[in-house]
Amino acid sequence: MPVSGLSVIQKRIEELRQKLDYHNYRYYVLDSPEISDEEYDSLMRELKQLEEQYPQFLTPDSPTQRVGAAPLEAFGVVKHPLPLLSLGNAFVTEDLFAWHARALKLLGVQQFDMVCEHKMDGLAVALTYVNGHLTTGATRGDGFHGEDITQNLRTIRSIPLSVPKDAPPRFEVRGEVYLPKIGFHKLNKERESEGLPLFANPRNAAAGSVRQLDPHITAKRPLDIYIYMLGYAEGKPVPPAHWETMEYLKSLGFKINPNNKRVSCIEEAEEYYQKWTRQRESLPYEADGVVVKADLLAYHNLLGDVGREPRWAIAYKFPAIQGTTRLKEIGISVGRTGTLNPYAILEPVQIGGVTIKQATLHNEDDIRRKDVREGDWVYIQRAGDVIPEVVGPIVSRRAGNEKEFSLLEKIFDKELGRPACPECKGEIVKPDGEVMYYCSNAACPAQVQERLEHFVSRGAMDIRGIGERLIALFLREGLVKDASDLYALKDKRTQIVRLEKMGEKSADNILNAIEKSKQQSLARLINALGIRHVGEETANLLVEHFRNLDDLGSTTKEKLMTMPGIGPKIADSIVAFSHEEENKKIIGKLKKADVNPQMEEVKAEGLPLSGREFVVTGTLKAFSREEAHNRIKALGGTVKDNVTHNTTYLVIGLDPGENKITRARALDTEQIDEEKFLAILG
Ligand code: IVH
């Protein structure tokens, strides 16, 4: 091609990148997109194609390259040019006022402006930009050395990969990477269905996500960032105050918390704290306090640091939603994949208006680390709507008769002379490198019950009307033994009608729901099968490579390992699952019952609703929820349970879910009534 032709292509590539960066910024930083996802995707496709055809024009900060890097063996170490300090804490008003009085005295002034911010509960990172490009992203580490997590941070859409040309030639910004509450709940739900230990809170989840060696996994987690400080800037003057610096960073494309506030006296700072103490639960992220900072940067220098804490800022912590009670006993429940999950059985206690009787204890390692013993008085914490957690023992209240916990001892069966599953007496195993113990008996009734509950659950085959109670009944009556038997229930209608609290109508509804579930996608079915370590997220990855269950069943560990986001643990688990005779039988029966979804070769591009995502809430007049979903899908649209940034329309029927509407309002999602919905369906 003549050089002039190439330069036209290069120009188009640059134009596409600029457009994509701009729309990315509108969407992820400003939360205010100007174009539809569909238009965005089409620009992205064009850019990808051009870059594939003309690799000489590919650059590392092209928007196509956010998730490009291969998994690492380990993270490198980054030396921070300026140490990342921590913050002194205030727990009561007096602490805040004392901090302020001391600063006034040291500065020799009567008053100084301050900036109040939320203390984000996430993970501190430092981002370095050189000549306009993001070159390094590092964790805080010990404050002096952090881990190089650049390739993971690049996957966070609200972190700009490049900044305008007039930015300082070298500078570092600092901020907090966090996982919004919604993302946290979703992630934990997925982990639960994959039989993985749950994250205790969004902070741990964010830290776990950012410290993945495979950036594809990080990319799947809806991480976000707020920048809260300029570390340093070279080669260009920057504003003299923190507030203006934040405005300036905003103008460079960084995401700054809109709840920040500049105040001129400490009483105002106190008010800010009080306001957010009351409203913290309404925030879409976890904050554990407010940070009050002197505004003028010259004052930062004058005030200096004590130890590793600056005197120019203080963290005023929110009161923890904590309580104390006695831990009567540690119980063990058996999860779907056989995990033995320890949990605390508590003397009931009221915390923030909720009675708590049980709390999670994660796993034995965690219990040991915290040194929690049966009979202990313990601190219990409830953060937002997260499952209550045992924070730790009150050692000073020990009487001496508390009992240290050992899982194997707890489940030791005297008759058998070995540890045994508390539900089925099955043998216990602990795979290498895992923290959980498992019941190895796949026929364990607790596991069977949990597996069936998972199979019919919303994220899986979504069979409405069947839940914990009915499954227990089906099992008790011998109507089903595994998930595939659900599809044979239609031949046992008379028996079902006779079940407790059943009747003709309910029985038919249930049988219809089972029949309808045959239409569910391959990803849902894979998730529903309950393969250890394979939940919604992994199932969605798998269907990009396998067309049906047979394909998946005949794959090898090697092939699986070539797929982004699939490591040896998942690969082993899938292969082991497929080779298990019992599973082969179940899959055979599912296929025979016509539960055998196929991936379509061609994606639904070109259909009238392709690229549009719907969430339906409330009852529609014209058709059932299921029918509405099918219509949308038939026209190429997608249907989701929850409103996210990707939702195009929230369809509102009678008695809609308030949460969905609030969420749609917050995200500026278009809300439509049934009439408009029908018009869209044509
Ligand atoms: S300013 C000199 N602002 O809190 C330290 N920190 O205990 C300046 N944090 O590791 C930090 N939200 O990760 C600052 N709005 C905010 C913050 C914030 C959360 C974290 C930060 C740091 C820790 C210090």
Side-chain angles (χ1 to χ4, degrees):
M1 182 180 298
V3 178
S4 61
L6 277 181
S7 78
V8 169
I9 285 159
Q10 193 173 8
K11 247 195 164 146
R12 177 66 186 154
I13 287 183
E14 267 155 29
E15 186 184 22
L16 284 166
R17 284 183 190 155
Q18 260 173 24
K19 276 193 180 171
L20 282 161
D21 280 341
Y22 173 74
H23 291 299
N24 185 68
Y25 169 75
R26 298 277 331 178
Y27 190 102
Y28 289 100
V29 179
L30 300 185
D31 248 347
S32 144
E34 279 176 356
I35 58 173
S36 69
D37 290 2
E38 207 177 353
E39 287 167 280
Y40 183 90
D41 290 345
S42 123
L43 292 172
M44 186 64 102
R45 256 199 311 275
E46 186 184 346
L47 179 60
K48 266 191 194 151
Q49 262 166 16
L50 285 175
E51 286 177 342
E52 261 165 38
Q53 230 175 324
Y54 305 96
Q56 67 267 42
F57 297 137
L58 190 62
T59 58
D61 56 5
S62 166
T64 58
Q65 300 301 300
R66 280 202 180 257
V67 203
L72 293 171
E73 293 282 325
F75 295 114
V77 174
V78 173
K79 186 173 176 341
H80 297 303
L82 276 181
L84 271 67
L85 301 178
S86 54
L87 287 168
N89 288 325
F91 296 100
V92 288
T93 322
E94 289 74 37
D95 300 341
L96 178 73
F97 280 68
W99 165 79
H100 183 247
R102 186 167 178 211
L104 285 177
K105 196 164 152 219
L106 286 168
L107 294 169
V109 296
Q110 302 286 312
Q111 177 276 341
F112 61 90
D113 284 352
M114 286 157 274
V115 178
C116 302
E117 301 173 359
H118 290 164
K119 185 166 188 297
M120 305 295 299
D121 205 4
L123 179 89
V125 297
L127 308 171
T128 308
Y129 289 78
V130 181
N131 298 329
H133 303 288
L134 171 67
T135 54
T136 315
T139 62
R140 175 168 181 268
D142 62 4
F144 300 96
H145 299 91
E147 281 175 319
D148 183 343
I149 52 164
T150 314
Q151 62 171 9
N152 289 345
L153 294 179
R154 289 170 61 93
T155 68
I156 301 176
R157 304 294 173 131
S158 44
I159 294 182
L161 298 180
S162 57
V163 287
K165 293 206 170 50
D166 53 0
R170 175 185 277 273
F171 66 96
E172 179 208 77
V173 292
R174 297 177 180 177
E176 196 85 348
V177 169
Y178 66 95
L179 194 64
K181 288 178 192 166
I182 293 187
F184 167 73
H185 289 305
K186 184 159 175 276
L187 180 60
N188 256 357
K189 240 172 85 185
E190 273 166 27
R191 291 179 70 85
E192 197 175 3
S193 70
E194 287 172 30
L196 294 172
L198 302 189
F199 287 117
N201 52 48
R203 185 192 50 246
N204 291 359
S209 303
V210 156
R211 295 194 67 264
Q212 289 287 338
L213 290 166
D214 183 350
H216 290 91
I217 298 180
T218 313
K220 296 245 169 225
R221 310 268 167 92
L223 294 164
D224 209 333
I225 192 167
Y226 277 130
I227 298 299
Y228 55 62
M229 186 177 161
L230 178 67
Y232 64 86
E234 287 171 12
K236 204 154 184 203
V238 285
H242 178 65
W243 182 263
E244 271 88 34
T245 304
M246 292 297 104
E247 292 291 310
Y248 174 61
L249 291 178
K250 208 189 283 177
S251 77
L252 294 182
F254 291 100
K255 191 160 176 175
I256 313 294
N257 194 332
N259 293 317
N260 293 354
K261 186 174 185 209
R262 181 155 55 175
V263 301
S264 54
C265 63
I266 198 68
E267 288 76 15
E268 262 187 281
E270 162 75 8
E271 259 170 49
Y272 179 88
Y273 170 83
Q274 295 298 350
K275 171 182 164 173
W276 288 109
T277 303
R278 288 189 302 272
Q279 297 184 13
R280 63 193 279 206
E281 299 240 355
S282 69
L283 290 170
Y285 50 77
E286 293 283 351
D288 57 345
V290 307
V291 184
V292 183
K293 301 174 177 175
D295 189 26
L296 270 186
L297 300 177
Y299 286 177
H300 293 196
N301 287 331
L302 284 171
L303 288 167
D305 315 321
V306 240
R308 292 170 68 178
E309 294 168 4
R311 269 191 287 246
W312 51 265
I314 188 153
Y316 189 3
K317 301 298 271 296
F318 290 138
I321 311 174
Q322 270 197 355
T324 56
T325 188
R326 222 173 63 86
L327 186 160
K328 295 196 287 194
E329 201 192 333
I330 295 179
I332 308 286
S333 68
V334 182
R336 165 171 66 75
T337 57
T339 47
L340 301 182
N341 308 315
Y343 64 97
I345 304 169
L346 305 167
E347 257 354 316
V349 57
Q350 286 268 330
I351 302 177
V354 181
T355 307
I356 314 257
K357 295 186 197 140
Q358 289 186 357
T360 167
L361 281 165
H362 305 295
N363 55 58
E364 188 176 36
D365 286 4
D366 207 44
I367 299 173
R368 290 259 167 82
R369 191 173 52 75
K370 291 177 178 162
D371 187 23
V372 174
R373 305 179 187 177
E374 288 180 305
D376 260 339
W377 277 85
V378 288
Y379 294 106
I380 303 295
Q381 180 158 302
R382 198 176 67 84
D385 41 3
V386 182
I387 319 163
E389 183 191 17
V390 176
V391 181
I394 310 175
V395 178
S396 59
R397 288 186 80 165
R398 277 197 180 140
N401 56 354
E402 294 77 13
K403 201 167 162 290
E404 274 185 54
F405 177 73
S406 150
L407 191 136
L408 291 180
E409 216 173 277
K410 182 105 210 165
I411 57 173
F412 192 85
D413 189 294
K414 286 204 189 97
E415 275 169 34
L416 294 171
R418 61 163 171 83
C421 169
E423 298 284 346
C424 74
K425 311 267 177 235
E427 286 197 38
I428 304 303
V429 292
K430 187 180 190 214
D432 280 348
E434 288 201 29
V435 288
M436 303 306 277
Y437 288 91
Y438 291 84
C439 160
S440 64
N441 171 20
C444 167
Q447 283 186 56
V448 174
Q449 166 87 27
E450 296 273 337
R451 268 205 301 274
L452 280 164
E453 281 180 34
H454 172 70
F455 189 86
V456 302
S457 67
R458 300 248 163 145
M461 297 305 268
D462 195 15
I463 306 181
R464 302 290 166 96
I466 304 187
E468 188 180 340
R469 188 188 71 88
L470 213 52
I471 288 174
L473 266 181
F474 287 163
L475 287 169
R476 201 181 70 198
E477 299 295 321
L479 288 164
V480 300
K481 289 203 169 57
D482 61 58
S484 65
D485 297 333
L486 290 169
Y487 297 94
L489 285 177
K490 58 176 190 290
D491 305 327
K492 303 181 180 162
R493 185 174 174 281
T494 5
Q495 275 163 280
I496 295 175
V497 172
R498 276 197 232 116
L499 288 175
E500 265 166 50
K501 297 188 192 162
M502 191 54 86
E504 305 264 343
K505 189 149 184 277
S506 310
D508 285 336
N509 285 343
I510 286 164
L511 291 174
N512 281 337
I514 295 174
E515 272 310 291
K516 269 193 180 148
S517 75
K518 291 181 176 175
Q519 310 299 325
Q520 295 291 15
S521 65
L522 181 61
R524 274 175 175 270
L525 178 59
I526 293 176
N527 176 24
L529 289 176
I531 306 171
R532 197 179 287 176
H533 308 310
V534 176
E536 236 175 293
E537 195 178 298
T538 310
N540 280 320
L541 286 176
L542 290 170
V543 297
E544 287 174 22
H545 302 269
F546 299 104
R547 284 182 38 247
N548 51 39
L549 286 182
D550 287 334
D551 260 13
L552 180 67
S554 57
T555 190
T556 59
K557 179 174 178 184
E558 289 66 37
K559 171 148 189 232
L560 286 161
M561 297 264 296
T562 62
M563 295 171 196
I566 311 254
K569 210 160 87 177
I570 300 180
D572 276 337
S573 166
I574 295 172
V575 175
F577 182 93
S578 314
H579 285 101
E580 178 93 36
E581 280 312 316
E582 188 59 27
N583 295 331
K584 283 190 195 163
K585 241 170 48 199
I586 295 174
I587 289 174
K589 284 201 291 184
L590 283 170
K591 285 195 308 199
K592 236 175 158 174
D594 245 1
V595 187
N596 192 15
Q598 306 287 319
M599 281 306 282
E600 305 216 352
E601 293 285 1
V602 223
K603 290 251 168 75
E605 270 167 42
L607 286 172
L609 295 186
S610 62
R612 289 194 237 178
E613 192 176 295
F614 291 74
V615 175
V616 184
T617 178
T619 317
L620 300 176
K621 283 179 255 153
F623 24 57
S624 73
R625 183 72 70 79
E626 197 71 34
E627 282 162 348
H629 287 183
N630 288 341
R631 293 267 189 125
I632 295 168
K633 288 185 214 156
L635 293 171
T638 47
V639 182
K640 289 282 158 69
D641 287 335
N642 291 310
V643 178
T644 68
H645 286 290
N646 295 328
T647 313
T648 323
Y649 302 110
L650 174 65
V651 183
I652 301 179
L654 271 178
D655 288 329
E658 277 308 315
N659 282 345
K660 294 208 168 81
I661 296 183
T662 316
R663 176 93 185 124
R665 255 187 229 134
L667 293 176
D668 229 2
T669 309
E670 190 172 341
Q671 302 172 39
I672 55 174
D673 58 15
E674 183 162 353
E675 202 178 328
K676 175 100 196 282
F677 177 54
L678 289 173
I680 289 174
L681 292 180

